[in-house]
Amino acid sequence: MSFLEQGDSTSWPSPAMTASSERSHGKQGTKASRWTRQEDVEEGEPPDLGEGIQSRPAAESTGLEATFPKATPWTQAAPLAGVDSSTAERDILPADCAASASGSSADDLDLGIEFSATAAWGNELGLVEERPAPCPSPQALLPRLGWDDELRKPGAQVYMHFMQEHTCYDAMATSSKLVIFDTMLQIKKAFFALVANGVRAAPLWDSKKQSFVGMLTITDFILVLHRYYRSPLVQIYEIEDHKIETWREIYLQGCFKPLVSISPSDSLFEAVYTLIKNRIHRLPVLDPVSGAVLHILTHKRLLKFLHIFGTLLPGPSFLSRTIQDVGIGTFRDLAMVLETAPILTALDIFVDRRVSALPVVNEAGQVVGLYSRFDVIHLAAQQTYNDLDVSVGEALKQRTLCLEEVISCQPHETLGEVIDRIVREQVHRLVLVDETQHLLGVVSLSDILQALVLSPAGIDALGA
C-alpha cells in the first residue's frame, strides 16, 4: 500500500502553525539515470583508523533554558496563514500610511473615528487644512504567505514526484564499503571495527537464524556506556566480555523487532518516509531474493541525490523563502550541553532525547562547538571510555580529527541557501544562530527531507 494512502491528512507543522493537507498535483517527467558518481566516501564517514569524529543532567539543561528564555523570538513573529500580521502589513504599506496601519485594534478604531469627526468640524470652520484620503484598512491587504500556502502552489510537489519516480537502486553507489558483524562477535571488537573501517553502523548476521536481525550502531555504544559506567575507577567489564548477542538480549529483553529495511525497487519517497518515521539514520537495502545487504541508505545520500538532479527540475518558490518565514527546523526545547558539563551528561541527553548531536554552549549561551554521537565512538579508538567525567569542552579539544564542525545559518537566509550549504559541507545539521552566536535552533537533514518530500504529500512523519 502506498504511504500516500496510509498517511493522515495533516502535513508537517512549522513551530508556529499547522499546515493544511490540500495540495495541487503537478507532474514531473524528468528522469535521472542511476547515480554513477563515486560518491560512496562522501557520506562523511572517516577514511582511516581512529579518524572518525562527528556530534542534561536535568540541572544543566533546565538551568540553561531558564537563563535564555528568548532563544526563538523570531519564530513567534512568523505570520500565520489566514491571520493578519501587522508587522508584515506595515512592511508593504506606504510611508504615509504607517499611522493608519497601526490603527487596527478596537481602541484605535474608536480613536480614528473621533479624530475624523474633529477634522470634519475643523474643516467646516476653516481651521484645518484638507488632508489626503486615509489609507485603506490594513485588514484589506493580503498577509504574507505561510508554509501551508507555499505547499498549495502548483510547483510545490516537484521533489515529491521526483522521489516517487526513482527507486533506491538509482541512489545506490556503484562501489562502497559494507561491514557485517556476526552476533557472536565480542562487542568491544565490533566497536573497534566500526572505527577502524570508518563506518557508523553494521548489519548483524545471526548464523543460527541464517538472516540479518538488526544493526549495530554508535547508539549501541552510547547505550552500553550509559548503562554500565560507574566511575573512572571501575572498569566496564561488560564491554570486554559481552558478545553482541548478549547485549541484544539484555537491551531488547526479548522484544526483538524485525530489521527495518527496504527493497532496491522501492521508491526513494518510501525510503525517506521509512527513515524519518522509524527515527533511524541507516536504512539497509536488502535483495528481495537472497536477502543479502546491497547498500545502506542515509539521509545525507538521499538529499545529495535530490540536490544533484534537482538542478534539472523547476525550483519551487518556497526555496526563496527565509528560514524565519517557513519555520523549518527545531526551535523549542532544544537539546544542548554546556562545555563544562561531563561527557556522561552528554550521554544522558543522547539517550533521553534521541538526538544525534548536541550544540555545545558556554555560560553566555553562545555556541562554541558541536558534540556528536561519533565523538563518543572515538572514545573507543582512544580507549578513554573508562573516564566519562571529562568535560565536553576538553573532549572536543582532545579529538584528533573533526569530521563535522559547527556549520551555522541565520534566520534571514533562504531555504535554498541552507540546503546548498548542508550538502556542500557534508554535515547532518546546521545550527541556527543570531549575530552574536546565540543558539536559536537546529535545522537537520530530517527537517529538510520532511519539508521537501513528505510535507507536499500531506505526511507528517516527524510529528507522528
Side-chain angles (χ1 to χ4, degrees), residues 94 96-100 115-116 123 129-137:
D96 58 346
C97 299
S100 56
F115 176 78
S116 299
N123 284 334
E129 296 180 0
E130 291 186 3
R131 298 185 179 182
C135 295
S137 169

Side-chain angles (χ1 to χ4, degrees), residues 9 46 85 126 181 273 321 325 338 393 403:
S9 60
S85 173
F181 295 146
Y273 179 84
R321 298 293 299 277
D325 288 339
L338 285 169
L403 288 180

Side-chain angles (χ1 to χ4, degrees), residues 43 56 85 124 144 187 212 224 239 279 305 378 408 451:
E43 293 286 357
R56 148 207 94 136
S85 173
E124 291 177 357
R144 295 164 70 179
I187 195 169
F212 289 98
V224 169
I239 292 183
R279 302 291 195 275
F305 180 84
H378 186 63
S408 62

Side-chain angles (χ1 to χ4, degrees), residues 91-112:
D91 290 342
I92 58 177
L93 288 177
D96 58 346
C97 299
S100 56
S102 63
S104 58
S105 66
D107 294 338
D108 293 340
L109 185 60
D110 293 337
L111 180 62

Side-chain angles (χ1 to χ4, degrees), residues 285-306:
V285 182
L286 300 186
D287 188 310
V289 178
S290 66
V293 179
L294 305 176
H295 189 67
I296 296 179
L297 288 176
T298 64
H299 298 82
K300 184 186 291 186
R301 187 163 192 86
L302 293 175
L303 182 60
K304 186 157 190 176
F305 180 84
L306 181 60

Side-chain angles (χ1 to χ4, degrees), residues 262-313:
I262 200 165
S263 169
S265 60
D266 289 333
S267 71
L268 292 177
F269 180 91
E270 295 182 35
V272 171
Y273 179 84
T274 303
L275 280 167
I276 299 179
K277 176 71 174 180
N278 291 280
R279 302 291 195 275
I280 56 178
H281 298 87
R282 303 290 185 273
L283 180 61
V285 182
L286 300 186
D287 188 310
V289 178
S290 66
V293 179
L294 305 176
H295 189 67
I296 296 179
L297 288 176
T298 64
H299 298 82
K300 184 186 291 186
R301 187 163 192 86
L302 293 175
L303 182 60
K304 186 157 190 176
F305 180 84
L306 181 60
H307 187 263
I308 289 175
F309 294 105
T311 57
L312 306 175
L313 306 173

